[in-house]
Amino acid sequence: MGRQFSNLYPAVYDFENLYISYLRARQNKRYKDEVLRFSANLEDNLITIQNELIYQAYRCGRHREFYVYEPKKRLIMAPPFRDRVVHHALCNVIEPIFDRRFIFDSYACRVGKGTHRGADRVTQFLRSAKERWSTVYCLKGDISQYFPSIDHDILLAIVEDRITCPGTRWLINEIVRSTEATNELTHVGLPIGNLTSQLFANVYLDQLDHFGVAPIWWTVNRYYAESS
């Protein structure tokens, strides 16, 4: 068990944090109708969200669903704009807590990482391996239907192992459970399209990074070193 964090919730509903979250949520979307409507009464809307969070009366709105087909068919569930503001407000506070624990070679949806840097890192590993061994094998793995298969109870247990703040736990639970009423497989799945889903997907799979991948890499290196 690592360090635990409490008393985070006031930072989540802090008005300045909500305003910063509004600015981030509207990036590249500021002229969309729902954003314009929200912005027209910005202070009132942010105060309403703040009060709902303080008194734990906030409820997630209904997602807008549509499909994308590149690189494959996926169901996207876009939350209402006010929910995106709340998602940013939460992630602003809790993402640094989890991000600092992720292994260096975790590249999805992280500041300063991304697909291109991940590809460069793989190239670096392959070149290093080719210098040491004549034959190099690369294991490519994928998790089928990863986002739809994430277990809510397991995810929340992982999150609550680090976060002991009751208010923050309540908000995370509200967001994670928000799609259960419309999901045939209740207690399973995170909506692709939520900022929080990107973070929680990394938190969930981080368990494998620490439990499995590092020992596998060490074992393979040790085997080839003893065999050469």
Side-chain angles (χ1 to χ4, degrees), residues 94-164:
I94 69 170
E95 185 170 10
I97 294 172
F98 292 103
D99 190 82
R100 66 172 62 104
R101 188 179 184 276
F102 295 158
I103 63 172
F104 180 85
D105 291 310
S106 174
Y107 289 90
C109 304
R110 296 179 66 195
V111 176
K113 300 289 185 173
T115 304
H116 294 295
R117 291 202 175 189
D120 290 342
R121 184 69 164 168
V122 170
T123 301
Q124 178 185 342
F125 278 136
L126 290 174
R127 287 174 177 170
S128 176
K130 286 289 288 182
E131 291 174 356
R132 299 177 64 184
W133 307 298
S134 58
T135 302
V136 176
Y137 297 92
C138 182
L139 173 64
K140 179 181 178 180
D142 188 22
I143 299 177
S144 177
Q145 295 293 305
Y146 176 51
F147 277 80
S149 67
I150 292 176
D151 186 290
H152 293 176
D153 294 331
I154 294 174
L155 171 63
L156 292 172
I158 295 170
V159 169
E160 291 175 0
D161 185 55
R162 300 283 284 169
I163 295 178
T164 60

Side-chain angles (χ1 to χ4, degrees), residues 10-151:
V12 175
Y13 62 70
D14 176 76
F15 189 85
E16 184 176 356
N17 183 44
L18 291 174
Y19 179 69
I20 292 171
S21 301
Y22 155 75
L23 296 177
R24 292 178 176 176
R26 77 171 189 177
Q27 285 182 347
N28 303 319
K29 301 179 179 70
R30 60 188 303 175
Y31 296 113
K32 290 192 173 183
D33 289 344
E34 64 171 340
V35 180
L36 291 172
R37 287 194 297 270
F38 190 95
S39 303
N41 295 289
L42 178 59
E43 185 174 2
D44 288 345
N45 285 325
L46 291 181
I47 290 175
T48 298
I49 290 175
Q50 184 182 49
N51 287 332
E52 289 179 1
L53 292 175
I54 290 173
Y55 296 107
Q56 298 188 11
Y58 166 78
R59 296 293 180 269
C60 296
R62 186 175 182 84
H63 290 77
R64 179 172 59 89
E65 299 183 5
F66 58 94
Y67 286 95
V68 297
Y69 295 89
E70 293 295 336
K72 59 184 178 181
K73 182 180 178 181
R74 293 184 300 169
L75 174 63
I76 304 299
M77 301 178 68
F81 181 73
R82 74 189 308 268
D83 287 351
R84 293 204 294 271
V85 174
V86 174
H87 295 171
H88 276 279
L90 175 64
C91 288
N92 289 346
V93 175
I94 69 170
E95 185 170 10
I97 294 172
F98 292 103
D99 190 82
R100 66 172 62 104
R101 188 179 184 276
F102 295 158
I103 63 172
F104 180 85
D105 291 310
S106 174
Y107 289 90
C109 304
R110 296 179 66 195
V111 176
K113 300 289 185 173
T115 304
H116 294 295
R117 291 202 175 189
D120 290 342
R121 184 69 164 168
V122 170
T123 301
Q124 178 185 342
F125 278 136
L126 290 174
R127 287 174 177 170
S128 176
K130 286 289 288 182
E131 291 174 356
R132 299 177 64 184
W133 307 298
S134 58
T135 302
V136 176
Y137 297 92
C138 182
L139 173 64
K140 179 181 178 180
D142 188 22
I143 299 177
S144 177
Q145 295 293 305
Y146 176 51
F147 277 80
S149 67
I150 292 176
D151 186 290

